[in-house]
Amino acid sequence: MWKIRTLMLLIAMYPGVTLGADGPPAQTRGGGQTQAGGAGQTQGGDLLKSGEGALAKGQYQAAARDFSKAMRAGDLSNIQVAKALYQRGIAYEKTGRPAQAIADITNALYIEGLPGGDRVKAYLSRGRAYEAVGMSD
């Protein structure tokens, strides 16, 4: 029981993390693809790609920032939101923020938009984050 309280305390310390209180993100019409500047890509989609690039380069803080902006844009599909949450969770894990990583990865798994391979990696990443906060069994 103390482990759950500790986790909730850690998550509460980070404002802006939600654990499904607002429900799953709404999917926009057309699979989340709206015209932005005539490019056929969403603003959120562009930010998602930018975050993926930063994550691949090891720029974890920039990646987390881009994933957050992508989700705030409001034009991502549920699958894209799940991917952004998972990848932001990875960025948080890499920057020593395991409570935020746990929250994001758990939300990504809850939305059920991740492909099978990413789901397996998400469970492993979440396990490492739990270990980082001393909650491994």
Side-chain angles (χ1 to χ4, degrees), residues 12-13 16-18 23 28 36 44 49 53 56 60 62 68 71-72 77 82 88-89 116 118 123 127 133 136-137:
M13 291 171 55
V17 171
T18 61
T28 58
K49 288 186 187 303
Y60 303 121
S68 295
M71 289 183 282
R72 277 195 303 267
S77 68
R88 186 174 71 175
D118 284 344
Y123 279 113
V133 294
S136 61
D137 288 322

PDB file of all heavy atoms in Angstrom, residues 12-13 16-18 23 28 36 44 49 53 56 60 62 68 71-72 77 82 88-89 116 118 123 127 133 136-137:
ATOM      1  N   ALA A  12       1.595  13.458  -8.098  1.00  0.00           N
ATOM      2  CA  ALA A  12       0.932  14.704  -7.711  1.00  0.00           C
ATOM      3  C   ALA A  12       1.898  15.876  -7.686  1.00  0.00           C
ATOM      4  O   ALA A  12       1.500  17.019  -7.856  1.00  0.00           O
ATOM      5  CB  ALA A  12       0.274  14.543  -6.349  1.00  0.00           C
ATOM      6  N   MET A  13       3.177  15.582  -7.504  1.00  0.00           N
ATOM      7  CA  MET A  13       4.172  16.654  -7.458  1.00  0.00           C
ATOM      8  C   MET A  13       4.397  17.278  -8.821  1.00  0.00           C
ATOM      9  O   MET A  13       4.972  18.350  -8.932  1.00  0.00           O
ATOM     10  CB  MET A  13       5.490  16.115  -6.912  1.00  0.00           C
ATOM     11  CG  MET A  13       5.400  15.756  -5.435  1.00  0.00           C
ATOM     12  SD  MET A  13       6.835  14.882  -4.803  1.00  0.00           S
ATOM     13  CE  MET A  13       8.170  15.976  -5.237  1.00  0.00           C
ATOM     14  N   GLY A  16       0.117  18.852 -14.323  1.00  0.00           N
ATOM     15  CA  GLY A  16       0.003  18.656 -15.766  1.00  0.00           C
ATOM     16  C   GLY A  16      -0.040  17.198 -16.152  1.00  0.00           C
ATOM     17  O   GLY A  16      -0.367  16.870 -17.285  1.00  0.00           O
ATOM     18  N   VAL A  17       0.277  16.303 -15.236  1.00  0.00           N
ATOM     19  CA  VAL A  17       0.151  14.881 -15.511  1.00  0.00           C
ATOM     20  C   VAL A  17      -1.263  14.476 -15.149  1.00  0.00           C
ATOM     21  O   VAL A  17      -1.736  14.786 -14.065  1.00  0.00           O
ATOM     22  CB  VAL A  17       1.156  14.049 -14.679  1.00  0.00           C
ATOM     23  CG1 VAL A  17       0.873  12.570 -14.807  1.00  0.00           C
ATOM     24  CG2 VAL A  17       2.562  14.354 -15.112  1.00  0.00           C
ATOM     25  N   THR A  18      -1.945  13.834 -16.053  1.00  0.00           N
ATOM     26  CA  THR A  18      -3.279  13.348 -15.752  1.00  0.00           C
ATOM     27  C   THR A  18      -3.286  11.849 -15.856  1.00  0.00           C
ATOM     28  O   THR A  18      -2.560  11.269 -16.650  1.00  0.00           O
ATOM     29  CB  THR A  18      -4.314  13.930 -16.737  1.00  0.00           C
ATOM     30  OG1 THR A  18      -3.964  13.517 -18.055  1.00  0.00           O
ATOM     31  CG2 THR A  18      -4.365  15.438 -16.652  1.00  0.00           C
ATOM     32  N   GLY A  23     -10.652  11.567 -19.260  1.00  0.00           N
ATOM     33  CA  GLY A  23     -11.054  10.564 -20.226  1.00  0.00           C
ATOM     34  C   GLY A  23     -10.039  10.498 -21.346  1.00  0.00           C
ATOM     35  O   GLY A  23      -9.101  11.292 -21.423  1.00  0.00           O
ATOM     36  N   THR A  28     -10.023  13.307 -33.714  1.00  0.00           N
ATOM     37  CA  THR A  28     -10.572  14.287 -34.633  1.00  0.00           C
ATOM     38  C   THR A  28     -11.066  13.593 -35.887  1.00  0.00           C
ATOM     39  O   THR A  28     -10.696  12.472 -36.191  1.00  0.00           O
ATOM     40  CB  THR A  28      -9.508  15.334 -35.016  1.00  0.00           C
ATOM     41  OG1 THR A  28      -8.404  14.658 -35.587  1.00  0.00           O
ATOM     42  CG2 THR A  28      -9.064  16.112 -33.803  1.00  0.00           C
ATOM     43  N   ALA A  36      -2.731  22.011 -42.497  1.00  0.00           N
ATOM     44  CA  ALA A  36      -2.030  23.064 -41.767  1.00  0.00           C
ATOM     45  C   ALA A  36      -1.042  23.701 -42.717  1.00  0.00           C
ATOM     46  O   ALA A  36      -0.021  23.130 -43.030  1.00  0.00           O
ATOM     47  CB  ALA A  36      -1.307  22.500 -40.546  1.00  0.00           C
ATOM     48  N   GLY A  44       0.140  19.196 -34.735  1.00  0.00           N
ATOM     49  CA  GLY A  44       0.542  18.192 -33.761  1.00  0.00           C
ATOM     50  C   GLY A  44       1.397  17.105 -34.385  1.00  0.00           C
ATOM     51  O   GLY A  44       2.364  16.640 -33.782  1.00  0.00           O
ATOM     52  N   LYS A  49       6.693  14.484 -35.007  1.00  0.00           N
ATOM     53  CA  LYS A  49       7.898  14.110 -35.766  1.00  0.00           C
ATOM     54  C   LYS A  49       9.139  14.817 -35.227  1.00  0.00           C
ATOM     55  O   LYS A  49      10.213  14.228 -35.144  1.00  0.00           O
ATOM     56  CB  LYS A  49       7.709  14.420 -37.247  1.00  0.00           C
ATOM     57  CG  LYS A  49       6.743  13.490 -37.941  1.00  0.00           C
ATOM     58  CD  LYS A  49       6.714  13.764 -39.421  1.00  0.00           C
ATOM     59  CE  LYS A  49       5.638  12.982 -40.128  1.00  0.00           C
ATOM     60  NZ  LYS A  49       5.711  11.558 -39.962  1.00  0.00           N
ATOM     61  N   GLY A  53      12.498  13.034 -33.643  1.00  0.00           N
ATOM     62  CA  GLY A  53      13.855  13.346 -34.074  1.00  0.00           C
ATOM     63  C   GLY A  53      14.751  13.718 -32.907  1.00  0.00           C
ATOM     64  O   GLY A  53      15.896  13.270 -32.809  1.00  0.00           O
ATOM     65  N   ALA A  56      15.584  10.623 -30.877  1.00  0.00           N
ATOM     66  CA  ALA A  56      16.598   9.806 -31.554  1.00  0.00           C
ATOM     67  C   ALA A  56      18.000  10.394 -31.392  1.00  0.00           C
ATOM     68  O   ALA A  56      18.980   9.657 -31.343  1.00  0.00           O
ATOM     69  CB  ALA A  56      16.256   9.666 -33.040  1.00  0.00           C
ATOM     70  N   TYR A  60      16.610  14.780 -24.899  1.00  0.00           N
ATOM     71  CA  TYR A  60      15.421  14.321 -24.205  1.00  0.00           C
ATOM     72  C   TYR A  60      14.518  15.439 -23.717  1.00  0.00           C
ATOM     73  O   TYR A  60      13.286  15.313 -23.780  1.00  0.00           O
ATOM     74  CB  TYR A  60      15.817  13.401 -23.049  1.00  0.00           C
ATOM     75  CG  TYR A  60      16.629  12.223 -23.534  1.00  0.00           C
ATOM     76  CD1 TYR A  60      17.916  12.001 -23.061  1.00  0.00           C
ATOM     77  CD2 TYR A  60      16.125  11.345 -24.479  1.00  0.00           C
ATOM     78  CE1 TYR A  60      18.676  10.928 -23.509  1.00  0.00           C
ATOM     79  CE2 TYR A  60      16.862  10.267 -24.938  1.00  0.00           C
ATOM     80  CZ  TYR A  60      18.136  10.065 -24.446  1.00  0.00           C
ATOM     81  OH  TYR A  60      18.878   9.006 -24.907  1.00  0.00           O
ATOM     82  N   ALA A  62      14.176  18.452 -25.066  1.00  0.00           N
ATOM     83  CA  ALA A  62      13.524  19.007 -26.254  1.00  0.00           C
ATOM     84  C   ALA A  62      12.447  18.052 -26.763  1.00  0.00           C
ATOM     85  O   ALA A  62      11.374  18.486 -27.189  1.00  0.00           O
ATOM     86  CB  ALA A  62      14.558  19.276 -27.349  1.00  0.00           C
ATOM     87  N   SER A  68       4.812  17.264 -25.646  1.00  0.00           N
ATOM     88  CA  SER A  68       3.789  17.997 -24.891  1.00  0.00           C
ATOM     89  C   SER A  68       3.053  18.973 -25.803  1.00  0.00           C
ATOM     90  O   SER A  68       1.814  19.055 -25.773  1.00  0.00           O
ATOM     91  CB  SER A  68       4.424  18.754 -23.725  1.00  0.00           C
ATOM     92  OG  SER A  68       4.976  17.859 -22.792  1.00  0.00           O
ATOM     93  N   MET A  71       0.621  17.204 -28.189  1.00  0.00           N
ATOM     94  CA  MET A  71      -0.652  16.797 -27.572  1.00  0.00           C
ATOM     95  C   MET A  71      -1.542  17.997 -27.292  1.00  0.00           C
ATOM     96  O   MET A  71      -2.757  17.910 -27.416  1.00  0.00           O
ATOM     97  CB  MET A  71      -0.380  15.987 -26.307  1.00  0.00           C
ATOM     98  CG  MET A  71       0.178  14.606 -26.622  1.00  0.00           C
ATOM     99  SD  MET A  71       0.427  13.580 -25.186  1.00  0.00           S
ATOM    100  CE  MET A  71       1.949  14.268 -24.523  1.00  0.00           C
ATOM    101  N   ARG A  72      -0.933  19.125 -26.917  1.00  0.00           N
ATOM    102  CA  ARG A  72      -1.722  20.337 -26.676  1.00  0.00           C
ATOM    103  C   ARG A  72      -2.335  20.894 -27.958  1.00  0.00           C
ATOM    104  O   ARG A  72      -3.333  21.602 -27.902  1.00  0.00           O
ATOM    105  CB  ARG A  72      -0.869  21.409 -26.004  1.00  0.00           C
ATOM    106  CG  ARG A  72      -0.771  21.233 -24.507  1.00  0.00           C
ATOM    107  CD  ARG A  72      -0.234  22.484 -23.825  1.00  0.00           C
ATOM    108  NE  ARG A  72       1.061  22.907 -24.320  1.00  0.00           N
ATOM    109  CZ  ARG A  72       2.230  22.548 -23.791  1.00  0.00           C
ATOM    110  NH1 ARG A  72       2.269  21.770 -22.746  1.00  0.00           N
ATOM    111  NH2 ARG A  72       3.359  22.984 -24.305  1.00  0.00           N
ATOM    112  N   SER A  77      -4.636  11.929 -33.531  1.00  0.00           N
ATOM    113  CA  SER A  77      -5.536  10.792 -33.345  1.00  0.00           C
ATOM    114  C   SER A  77      -5.187  10.100 -32.030  1.00  0.00           C
ATOM    115  O   SER A  77      -4.136  10.368 -31.437  1.00  0.00           O
ATOM    116  CB  SER A  77      -5.390   9.809 -34.510  1.00  0.00           C
ATOM    117  OG  SER A  77      -4.110   9.184 -34.461  1.00  0.00           O
ATOM    118  N   ALA A  82      -1.238   8.225 -28.017  1.00  0.00           N
ATOM    119  CA  ALA A  82      -0.611   7.116 -27.289  1.00  0.00           C
ATOM    120  C   ALA A  82       0.886   7.077 -27.577  1.00  0.00           C
ATOM    121  O   ALA A  82       1.703   6.904 -26.667  1.00  0.00           O
ATOM    122  CB  ALA A  82      -1.270   5.792 -27.673  1.00  0.00           C
ATOM    123  N   ARG A  88       7.183  10.452 -24.758  1.00  0.00           N
ATOM    124  CA  ARG A  88       7.493  11.446 -23.732  1.00  0.00           C
ATOM    125  C   ARG A  88       7.878  10.737 -22.437  1.00  0.00           C
ATOM    126  O   ARG A  88       8.767  11.176 -21.709  1.00  0.00           O
ATOM    127  CB  ARG A  88       6.310  12.391 -23.505  1.00  0.00           C
ATOM    128  CG  ARG A  88       6.651  13.541 -22.554  1.00  0.00           C
ATOM    129  CD  ARG A  88       5.560  14.548 -22.434  1.00  0.00           C
ATOM    130  NE  ARG A  88       4.430  14.008 -21.686  1.00  0.00           N
ATOM    131  CZ  ARG A  88       3.364  14.720 -21.341  1.00  0.00           C
ATOM    132  NH1 ARG A  88       3.259  15.995 -21.684  1.00  0.00           N
ATOM    133  NH2 ARG A  88       2.380  14.164 -20.668  1.00  0.00           N
ATOM    134  N   GLY A  89       7.237   9.615 -22.160  1.00  0.00           N
ATOM    135  CA  GLY A  89       7.605   8.814 -21.003  1.00  0.00           C
ATOM    136  C   GLY A  89       9.040   8.333 -21.082  1.00  0.00           C
ATOM    137  O   GLY A  89       9.771   8.339 -20.085  1.00  0.00           O
ATOM    138  N   GLY A 116       1.903  -3.547 -31.129  1.00  0.00           N
ATOM    139  CA  GLY A 116       2.368  -4.602 -30.240  1.00  0.00           C
ATOM    140  C   GLY A 116       3.801  -4.455 -29.774  1.00  0.00           C
ATOM    141  O   GLY A 116       4.097  -4.597 -28.583  1.00  0.00           O
ATOM    142  N   ASP A 118       5.696  -1.776 -29.610  1.00  0.00           N
ATOM    143  CA  ASP A 118       5.834  -0.620 -28.721  1.00  0.00           C
ATOM    144  C   ASP A 118       5.198  -0.889 -27.361  1.00  0.00           C
ATOM    145  O   ASP A 118       5.672  -0.391 -26.344  1.00  0.00           O
ATOM    146  CB  ASP A 118       5.214   0.637 -29.348  1.00  0.00           C
ATOM    147  CG  ASP A 118       6.080   1.238 -30.440  1.00  0.00           C
ATOM    148  OD1 ASP A 118       7.271   0.889 -30.512  1.00  0.00           O
ATOM    149  OD2 ASP A 118       5.556   2.058 -31.213  1.00  0.00           O
ATOM    150  N   TYR A 123       5.906  -1.522 -21.535  1.00  0.00           N
ATOM    151  CA  TYR A 123       5.856  -2.242 -20.248  1.00  0.00           C
ATOM    152  C   TYR A 123       7.259  -2.353 -19.640  1.00  0.00           C
ATOM    153  O   TYR A 123       7.432  -2.201 -18.431  1.00  0.00           O
ATOM    154  CB  TYR A 123       5.241  -3.626 -20.424  1.00  0.00           C
ATOM    155  CG  TYR A 123       3.728  -3.610 -20.451  1.00  0.00           C
ATOM    156  CD1 TYR A 123       3.025  -3.925 -21.606  1.00  0.00           C
ATOM    157  CD2 TYR A 123       2.993  -3.285 -19.311  1.00  0.00           C
ATOM    158  CE1 TYR A 123       1.640  -3.912 -21.638  1.00  0.00           C
ATOM    159  CE2 TYR A 123       1.605  -3.268 -19.327  1.00  0.00           C
ATOM    160  CZ  TYR A 123       0.940  -3.586 -20.496  1.00  0.00           C
ATOM    161  OH  TYR A 123      -0.423  -3.569 -20.516  1.00  0.00           O
ATOM    162  N   GLY A 127       8.499  -0.606 -16.178  1.00  0.00           N
ATOM    163  CA  GLY A 127       9.129  -1.404 -15.123  1.00  0.00           C
ATOM    164  C   GLY A 127      10.424  -0.780 -14.637  1.00  0.00           C
ATOM    165  O   GLY A 127      10.692  -0.730 -13.430  1.00  0.00           O
ATOM    166  N   VAL A 133      12.034   4.371  -8.761  1.00  0.00           N
ATOM    167  CA  VAL A 133      11.414   4.977  -7.582  1.00  0.00           C
ATOM    168  C   VAL A 133      11.327   3.976  -6.431  1.00  0.00           C
ATOM    169  O   VAL A 133      10.662   4.223  -5.422  1.00  0.00           O
ATOM    170  CB  VAL A 133      10.010   5.577  -7.881  1.00  0.00           C
ATOM    171  CG1 VAL A 133      10.112   6.742  -8.825  1.00  0.00           C
ATOM    172  CG2 VAL A 133       9.040   4.528  -8.366  1.00  0.00           C
ATOM    173  N   SER A 136      10.074  -1.902  -7.171  1.00  0.00           N
ATOM    174  CA  SER A 136      10.177  -3.180  -7.865  1.00  0.00           C
ATOM    175  C   SER A 136       9.903  -4.310  -6.879  1.00  0.00           C
ATOM    176  O   SER A 136      10.239  -4.226  -5.708  1.00  0.00           O
ATOM    177  CB  SER A 136      11.563  -3.346  -8.481  1.00  0.00           C
ATOM    178  OG  SER A 136      12.548  -3.317  -7.475  1.00  0.00           O
ATOM    179  N   ASP A 137       9.264  -5.330  -7.370  1.00  0.00           N
ATOM    180  CA  ASP A 137       8.992  -6.489  -6.521  1.00  0.00           C
ATOM    181  C   ASP A 137       9.623  -7.727  -7.099  1.00  0.00           C
ATOM    182  O   ASP A 137       9.752  -7.930  -8.222  1.00  0.00           O
ATOM    183  CB  ASP A 137       7.480  -6.729  -6.378  1.00  0.00           C
ATOM    184  CG  ASP A 137       6.823  -5.675  -5.494  1.00  0.00           C
ATOM    185  OD1 ASP A 137       7.452  -5.281  -4.516  1.00  0.00           O
ATOM    186  OD2 ASP A 137       5.700  -5.292  -5.818  1.00  0.00           O
TER     187      ASP A 137
END
